[in-house]
Amino acid sequence: MKIRPTKGLTFDDVLLVPKRSPISSRQDVDTSSWLTPTIKLRLPIVSANMDTVTEARMAIAMARVGGIGILHRFMPIEAQARQVEQVKRAQGFVVEHPRSISQAASIAEAKTMMKQHDVGGLVVTNGRDELVGLVTQRDILFAPDDSAPVGSVMTPPDQIISVKPDVSPAEARTLLHKHRLEKLPIIDQAGHLVGLITAQDIVKHEQHPNATKDERGRLRVGAALGVQTNDLDRAAALLAAGADLLVLDIAHGHADHCLQMIKKLRREFPKAQIVAGNVASKDGARDLAEAGADAIKVGVGPGSICTTRIVTGFGVPQLTAIMDAVEGLAEVGRRIPLIADGGIRSSGDMVKALAAGASAVMIGSLFAGCEEAPGATVIRNGQKNKIVRGMASLGAAIGRKAVAPGEDESAESQEDWDKVVPEGVEAVVPYRGNVEELIYQLVGGLRSGLSYGGATTIEQLQANAEFIEITPAGVRESYSHDVERV
Ligand code: XMP
């Protein structure tokens, strides 16, 4: 038995000492940060892989503002892979494998397909991948006979303007404007249709200049998995669907089965970016990194809906956990980003987590209140609220059994969030509008924080950081006091 001589600290236990600043405008700072060794975010903010926080809609919103979302794993493999595809298709300079139909198909079929895939048009192809027409909503909206073939209403090939695969975004923009077009098919030298550029996508591209995008201009997305036997199949399906990173997420990440899973993933998918967690110690962070993880997720019990510390007695106050993990990662011979997961209630907490050494923060409850979160909306005392629940809460466990009966009975799942004894709660959070509005507030605080830290980048903030421990009186002084808030 041993007891550490120093106290464990969390966000409210400290403040950052202001530093001389060369910054005159909050716009002069750079908030970008590495999430993994190959993925950079303009905003170091990640939405949590919880079933009341991140599904495709949230992931799209997060990537558009410059952060990223991690799709939760509490759904069948195919459903999670479909959500990855949904994010990857949400925008991109080129739509690869555009939805296609044959000219013999009926207008009714075209309408169903457009509705099903939420697209405004379809390419018409023959069996050899050659373009034989284009059909858009305008062509079919008021068609008198739904049973007529698509070939009777489509734009024929001689009236279609197409481009070569090496077309630049600027050239495509000019052509779309010059000919007042909505869609530009891309045809390769052999005459095969290889993609589609749409006016909509170019507009989205310009509306979201900070978006987190892959090399093909598609939004980036991460997806979570666990350590169950079928999680290697899950990883394969998620990567095939286009996931940019895998997040191996289990409650007690410093466990042999987690280390083995990292090694298996590394072996099977050598190019994949793998984040692993959660840990809360120097040894935990180092061991996961040495097993092959590209980034580490830190946090045992700091989350708003977590009761792990109360139920098990284990955990480390989050600021100390981050600092200890940073020390562990320094012992590994390569740079491993750290994601601080849980307990972020304000932009100030985020600044402290980053200053302590995190490259990004993962946020659950704050985002659960947003419009884009999948949790249900409830009205309480006349106010709009949304539901959030811990992934180890009783409600979440019951929900999972209903979705996938039998799946949770494996021995491994007992070591996972899927516990019989709940370590999380269900709760409501105030409705907070769109993610973009909340992010605006968080990023405003981060920009100001960088300026107070005399830093133009997050690395400088970390290098300059000087924390000061405060007393309960200091905490009271930090919040608004001696006034009646309106
Ligand atoms: P916040 O504070 O942002 O935290 O809501 C989100 C993080 O909390 C973790 N999480 C849990 N921890 N029991 C726990 O002990 C749970 O049921 C639970 N569900 C989520 C998770 O790391 C998440 O990102």
Side-chain angles (χ1 to χ4, degrees), residues 59-103:
I60 292 169
M62 285 300 297
R64 283 196 172 138
V65 294
I68 198 165
I70 310 298
L71 300 167
H72 73 86
R73 63 184 166 91
F74 301 106
M75 58 182 121
I77 294 176
E78 306 71 45
Q80 200 186 9
R82 262 201 314 278
Q83 294 211 10
V84 170
E85 279 170 16
Q86 219 177 315
V87 182
K88 298 311 272 184
R89 275 184 173 272
Q91 76 183 62
F93 173 53
V94 171
V95 181
E96 288 156 20
H97 312 296
R99 307 286 179 199
S100 66
I101 196 162
S102 87
Q103 57 180 326

Side-chain angles (χ1 to χ4, degrees), residues 34-37 46 245-249 253-254 258-259 262 274-299 318 321-322 324-326 328-330 332 334-341 357-362:
W34 292 98
L35 180 67
T36 73
V46 184
L245 70 150
L246 299 176
V247 178
L248 174 55
D249 180 63
H254 195 197
C258 183
L259 293 164
I262 296 172
I274 301 166
V275 177
N278 277 15
V279 293
S281 67
K282 178 177 166 180
D283 292 348
R286 189 201 50 237
D287 287 355
L288 262 52
E290 282 177 348
D294 296 300
I296 304 297
K297 207 148 71 75
V298 173
Q318 184 67 343
I322 297 168
D324 286 355
V326 166
L329 296 178
V332 186
R334 60 199 161 94
R335 185 166 153 66
I336 317 280
L338 183 161
I339 302 161
D341 175 18
S359 290
V361 295
M362 177 174 264

Side-chain angles (χ1 to χ4, degrees), residues 244-451:
D244 296 278
L245 70 150
L246 299 176
V247 178
L248 174 55
D249 180 63
I250 60 170
H252 179 28
H254 195 197
D256 291 347
H257 59 182
C258 183
L259 293 164
Q260 281 151 15
M261 186 64 171
I262 296 172
K263 289 181 186 159
K264 279 188 213 158
L265 288 168
R266 207 45 319 147
R267 236 189 349 260
E268 299 258 335
F269 313 103
K271 291 203 190 114
Q273 292 293 285
I274 301 166
V275 177
N278 277 15
V279 293
S281 67
K282 178 177 166 180
D283 292 348
R286 189 201 50 237
D287 287 355
L288 262 52
E290 282 177 348
D294 296 300
I296 304 297
K297 207 148 71 75
V298 173
V300 172
S304 53
I305 33 55
C306 304
T307 53
T308 295
R309 293 177 185 174
I310 306 303
V311 174
T312 70
F314 280 84
V316 176
Q318 184 67 343
L319 198 77
T320 296
I322 297 168
M323 290 175 177
D324 286 355
V326 166
E327 265 185 48
L329 296 178
E331 291 176 5
V332 186
R334 60 199 161 94
R335 185 166 153 66
I336 317 280
L338 183 161
I339 302 161
D341 175 18
I344 304 283
R345 302 152 305 168
S346 61
S347 49
D349 289 347
M350 171 171 64
V351 174
K352 290 173 190 174
L354 295 168
S359 290
V361 295
M362 177 174 264
I363 296 180
S365 294
L366 264 188
F367 287 143
C370 291
E371 178 63 36
E372 294 86 346
T377 306
V378 288
I379 305 290
R380 284 178 102 212
N381 306 325
Q383 299 293 320
K384 204 168 165 184
N385 289 270
K386 288 196 83 167
I387 299 284
V388 60
R389 64 184 187 187
M391 294 320 306
S393 66
L394 189 61
I398 292 168
R400 284 198 288 278
K401 288 212 188 293
V403 173
E407 222 178 63
D408 284 349
E409 261 104 60
S410 79
E412 290 133 313
S413 69
Q414 297 299 316
E415 304 297 324
D416 207 337
W417 288 125
D418 309 348
K419 292 180 178 108
V420 185
V421 182
E423 287 182 24
V425 298
E426 292 156 76
V428 291
V429 284
Y431 176 75
R432 293 199 170 90
N434 289 321
V435 160
E436 204 173 341
E437 294 159 28
L438 178 56
I439 289 277
Y440 180 82
Q441 296 299 326
L442 290 174
V443 175
L446 172 58
R447 288 182 177 279
S448 256
L450 284 163
S451 155

